Amino acid sequence: MSSLTDVDEATSTRLVNDMNRQGFAVLEHALDEAALLELRAYVEQQAARHNNQYFAYHGYPALAGSPLAKLGNTPAFKSLLVRLHAKGRGRPAASDEIFPVLRCVQGGTGRKESNAFHYDATLLTLLIPIFTPTEGSERGDLILFPNLRRTRAWVMINVLEKFIFQNALCRKLISVCIARALLKPITLPVVPGNVYFFWGYRSLHANQPCDPAFRRATALFHFGDPHAGSFITRLILKLNQHRARKVIARTDPPLS
Ligand SMILES: O=C(O)CCC(=O)C(=O)O
Ligand SMILES: [Fe+2]
């Protein structure tokens, strides 16, 4: 399906070095045409169920039967995440759980889900662009303030930092500062076919808004929860899933 299941040692070392030094890494042409078409067909099918408005699927149950679930369960792909994490953190992850997500920013409701700066719950984030706008001034680029913090030993410090940064006021402030060039994040136009890697737990990030007329779909694989098993992390994941379900419920056509 893709070279994601065939990454050699030298390339995985290069990916980790790029994440450490420049804040992100790219595996170019990681998906072949057939793999991308399969993902696109799946997204199109799901988008139709959501009136072409924003939706997100969190976790394997929501993605059952999808090409993303198949990739996430491929041993060579799992081993890639394990190796990158171990090289980056200097030790194996406490949990080998992978959290897959499909996000589809489209229509009027997509705007609210953009510029939503956050730190991920897990150290390693792998991003697969599926659709990105090819026209308009706002193309949903990935915005990164890379490696702003280390992994925290105390889950409460993590929660406090999330509380400080991940609220409407702070997000607005960051967006205004970026617009006025007071803050200069990395702005990465993500290109379908390539796959992107960054330390999601350590990097404040979000996607730029995109024109509501266009679709921006990304798949994410999150791996390596530094606070694995902590009650608070489980609560955060539950809240995210609950939030995603609420957004879907708002945009779903009524069941008939
Ligand atoms: O879709 C994107 O570009 C980023 C999404 C993201 O950061 C996340 O779901 O954790
Ligand atoms: Fe994220």
Side-chain angles (χ1 to χ4, degrees), residues 67 81 108 149 253:
L81 299 185
R149 61 174 191 163

Side-chain angles (χ1 to χ4, degrees), residues 105-107 131-136 138 210-216:
V105 177
Q106 53 180 1
F131 285 108
T132 48
T134 50
E135 291 168 50
E138 292 179 313
C210 55
D211 190 320
F214 295 99
R215 175 177 292 151
R216 176 192 190 277

